[in-house]
Amino acid sequence: MRRPLIATGLALALTAAALPARAACDVKGAQIEEGIAAKKELQADANAQTVRDLRTLRDAAIVLETYKFPGECEVLLGIAKSLLANPDKTIVQGGDTDEDEAESLVEARKPKAKAPVDEKTPAAKAPAAKPD
């Protein structure tokens, strides 16, 4: 169910990327947090994931603004505002509660460190000297 939202966001982001750069994105002025607090539907425990998603979009907009992508920042804020404008629809659209998928997404977000090369592994051994 989230795929249409992601596809829409990606399409909007690509459209914004083609537009000329504008002034800085106004994340604070978007009042995402205030909008979350104002919506009773979003205060229910069952909708905690929707609230996290909205905050993730806001945080992503901050990152885009920091790296000088004001158009893309505005697109993300627009998506977050549209989701906030109709929380009932947002809650119905979202909500993938597959715990295995959620765990795999959390695992995918963790940075992966390269495994140290063990000297006992065959790839790490020096090639044997050839007899003359």
Side-chain angles (χ1 to χ4, degrees):
M1 293 224 171
R2 291 180 190 254
R3 287 196 173 107
L5 289 176
I6 293 171
T8 302
L10 182 59
L12 289 171
L14 291 174
T15 302
L19 299 174
R22 296 180 292 200
C25 178
D26 187 14
V27 177
K28 189 173 183 179
Q31 298 183 333
I32 302 298
E33 199 61 40
E34 292 83 352
I36 292 169
K39 303 288 182 176
K40 290 182 209 175
E41 302 95 326
L42 296 175
Q43 301 309 313
D45 289 340
N47 301 324
Q49 182 60 51
T50 300
V51 172
R52 281 192 296 273
D53 291 345
L54 289 167
R55 288 178 175 147
T56 299
L57 288 172
R58 179 205 55 210
D59 293 346
I62 291 168
V63 170
L64 287 170
E65 179 184 26
T66 301
Y67 286 103
K68 310 291 187 241
F69 290 98
E72 291 81 355
C73 173
E74 288 292 337
V75 169
L76 278 181
L77 287 180
I79 292 168
K81 286 184 210 177
S82 70
L83 294 174
L84 264 174
N86 193 354
D88 291 330
K89 183 178 177 186
T90 302
I91 292 165
V92 170
Q93 282 179 328
D96 184 359
T97 58
D98 184 357
E99 290 182 16
D100 290 333
E101 183 177 342
E103 288 176 7
S104 69
L105 289 174
V106 168
E107 184 63 31
R109 289 180 180 154
K110 293 180 183 175
K112 306 292 187 255
K114 289 186 178 182
V117 178
D118 186 10
E119 291 184 18
K120 295 179 184 177
T121 59
K125 288 184 182 178
K130 292 184 182 180
D132 288 319

